[in-house]
Amino acid sequence: MLRFLTSGESHGKYLTATIEGIPSGLKISAETINHDLARRQTGYGVGPRMAIEKDEVEIVAGVRFGKTIGSPITLLISNRDWIHWQETMAVNDPKRPIKELVTAPRPGHADLAGALKYHQKDIRNILERSSARETAARVAVGSICRAFVKQFGIRVIGYVISIGGISIKKQNMPLDMIHQHAEASMLRCPDPVAERSMIRRIDAARKRGDSLGGIFEVVADGVPPGIGSHIQWDLRLDARLAQAIMSIQAIKGVEIGMGFEAARRSGSQVHDPIWYDSNKKSFYRTTNNAGGIEGGISNGEMIVVRAAMKPIATLYAPLHSVDIVTKEEVAAAVERSDICRVPSAAVIGEAMVCIVLANALLEKFGGDNMSETLNNYASYLRYLKRF
Ligand code: EPS
């Protein structure tokens, strides 16, 4: 079983992650993880914080001479901004009382619900952990899982398909081209025409003191049939992907394949007819409305997950709120913030998909070292041809 935990506050000293269950013998390098960390930090619409941070991982446990050794892997990422927050975020009792309490909850953030739940009169004790800064740690974990799923020939690609109501046109664009364009785009958007309109929308939102959300899509290519299971609710691959994606800060909706559109169509317009290729000795589909999953099990087609991200909750032109101490009507707190982080969310989505797939693959193929795991996989592929 693969499991992981992250810890760390947005302006604390470090983010950390511990991941357990990766077999021994998997090649891991800080450079590869840093590449994904850098991808998460880019994007037109990021706020001033990203000029301060340049995320770099330190691997402090579980890896020796560039390979996993089967023990828990612990990762550290420094918050460079911490230097400016040492007093505010001190672990020990402060020498002087902290006067700058945050007491005006932001609608859409965890501020009020968290303050009520954890009995806090300083919302900083909530916002520091609810901040999407935490996703840097998840991307680092996802990067290790990406290295694992790559051994199975799986690649996971995320890109933006809509921002602020502007959507891309990608009919029939091959995956390689989508990937290439998305990587080159400052909005991780494969359609340069749509990208230009999105940028205009972001500029307009910035001028108004507003923020924008959008939709990203993550695809996993090369997943074999038979991952996940129909036999229990918590083993279903689609359910696990939905939970993982929904757990990303600010995500309000998740779709697999055709998603909500399937509810508007009849069965003959939705389900993907089954064909057999006797040369390749494998079943295939000519459509993929199921998004690669049927009955909670991967069916061998590309897995397609989409997520809707709400606009960032911190608004430079703040909404109406109520002070949690005085109960007076106030404007919501304005923390320095971003205008749009959908491009980052696409990279975080990739990480969560890699984590879920790695776990489901380990469940099916087991193994305590990579050669055992991959031998089991090779034997399964041989079985599929004989089926
Ligand atoms: C965030 C607020 C901003 C973002 C942050 C998420 O941070 P700050 O308050 O320090 O300006 O930049 O995202 C990151 C730091 C990051 O690495 O993605 C929030 O409130 O969620």
Side-chain angles (χ1 to χ4, degrees), residues 11 40 49-50 109 131-133 335-336 338 341:
H11 305 96
R40 191 198 71 93
R49 174 78 183 269
M50 286 305 102
H109 226 285
S131 163
R133 173 79 189 137
E335 283 267 325
R336 171 190 63 186
D338 314 289
R341 288 302 292 270

Side-chain angles (χ1 to χ4, degrees), residues 37-78:
L37 290 176
R39 291 173 70 239
R40 191 198 71 93
Q41 289 194 278
T42 55
Y44 192 81
V46 302
R49 174 78 183 269
M50 286 305 102
I52 301 170
E53 303 296 343
K54 184 182 176 299
D55 292 335
E56 280 174 356
V57 75
E58 190 184 346
I59 304 171
V60 298
V63 178
R64 187 161 185 244
F65 304 144
K67 282 187 178 175
T68 56
I69 54 172
S71 38
I73 302 163
T74 297
L75 309 171
L76 294 184
I77 299 167
S78 294

Side-chain angles (χ1 to χ4, degrees), residues 111-280:
D111 297 357
L112 179 59
L116 292 170
K117 177 174 169 65
Y118 288 91
H119 195 179
Q120 297 295 335
K121 290 291 168 89
D122 182 359
I123 290 169
R124 180 155 303 286
N125 289 333
I126 303 302
L127 71 85
E128 283 291 334
R129 180 63 186 159
S130 66
S131 163
R133 173 79 189 137
E134 182 261 347
T135 59
R138 292 205 226 181
V139 167
V141 172
S143 196
I144 290 177
C145 291
R146 189 198 296 279
F148 178 79
V149 304
K150 224 172 159 183
Q151 298 296 310
F152 293 77
I154 297 170
R155 60 179 178 152
V156 176
I157 294 168
Y159 44 88
V160 170
I161 62 171
S162 172
I163 283 180
I166 307 281
S167 297
I168 68 163
K169 292 190 177 60
K170 70 169 173 75
Q171 281 93 350
N172 304 324
M173 204 193 269
L175 187 57
D176 278 331
M177 195 181 282
I178 290 180
H179 182 46
Q180 224 177 326
H181 284 206
E183 287 300 312
S185 151
M186 55 179 145
L187 285 179
R188 198 158 289 287
C189 170
D191 175 351
V193 178
E195 184 194 35
R196 281 196 287 279
S197 308
M198 290 170 181
I199 287 173
R200 281 197 293 275
R201 289 261 161 119
I202 293 170
D203 288 340
R206 182 182 283 116
K207 260 194 207 134
R208 295 195 306 273
D210 216 336
S211 60
L212 291 180
I215 302 172
F216 67 83
E217 190 166 272
V218 180
V219 300
D221 189 31
V223 178
I227 305 303
S229 176
H230 63 293
I231 68 161
Q232 210 63 263
W233 67 274
D234 56 347
L235 296 179
R236 288 178 174 264
L237 189 62
D238 42 7
R240 292 154 72 173
L241 285 168
Q243 199 232 331
I245 296 291
M246 188 65 98
S247 77
I248 300 169
Q249 290 80 340
I251 300 304
K252 285 303 225 184
V254 182
E255 290 184 330
I256 310 268
M258 192 182 262
F260 274 60
E261 175 58 25
R264 288 183 274 271
R265 300 194 183 188
S266 56
S268 58
Q269 296 174 302
V270 171
H271 301 301
D272 309 307
I274 301 172
W275 301 87
Y276 188 71
D277 183 330
S278 43
N279 292 325
K280 290 187 182 162

Side-chain angles (χ1 to χ4, degrees), residues 26 148-153 365-367 369-382:
L26 180 70
F148 178 79
V149 304
K150 224 172 159 183
Q151 298 296 310
F152 293 77
F365 302 111
N369 62 74
M370 284 310 294
S371 40
E372 188 184 1
T373 307
L374 293 176
N375 277 337
N376 294 344
Y377 182 50
S379 127
Y380 178 68
L381 292 181
R382 285 196 296 275

